[in-house]
Amino acid sequence: MLGLPTTGQMLLGEKMTQRRGAQLGRWIRWLAILFLTLVVVVVVFQNRETVETKFLFSTIVMPRAALLFVTFSIGAFTGALAFWALRSKSTGKT
């Protein structure tokens, strides 16, 4: 034989490569989570001052960081609804 790997050895090598890729993906995911957490902490500490927000007939006083969080949450919820609506429309599911 020419020293070529057998089918079993090739499958083992492919599994090891997939495992390394999965481990790298986990590291990247954890680094992204850590980075985003750090960004959120910095934004909160830099936006602690109180702001007045007028909505319809009421005035709400809250820290700027809370206003940013509420605005982000509304945007994320709206985006999720739009994604769900477009996905169910394209697949025909409701």
Side-chain angles (χ1 to χ4, degrees), residues 1-80:
M1 301 298 178
L2 299 173
L4 296 174
T6 64
T7 305
Q9 290 172 336
M10 288 181 5
L11 290 177
L12 181 62
E14 290 174 8
K15 286 181 182 180
M16 290 177 64
T17 303
Q18 288 175 350
R19 193 174 310 158
R20 283 188 197 130
Q23 288 174 347
L24 179 63
R26 273 190 232 116
W27 273 104
I28 291 172
R29 193 175 316 133
W30 278 109
L31 286 175
I33 290 169
L34 181 65
F35 175 74
L36 291 174
T37 302
L38 182 64
V39 168
V40 167
V41 168
V42 168
V43 167
V44 167
F45 277 109
Q46 288 186 342
N47 292 288
R48 289 184 292 174
E49 59 272 357
T50 304
V51 293
E52 255 185 36
T53 304
K54 295 180 181 177
F55 181 71
L56 297 177
F57 303 108
S58 63
T59 301
I60 304 167
V61 178
M62 67 179 87
R64 184 176 290 157
L67 179 61
L68 289 169
F69 177 75
V70 168
T71 305
F72 171 78
S73 299
I74 291 170
F77 181 72
T78 304

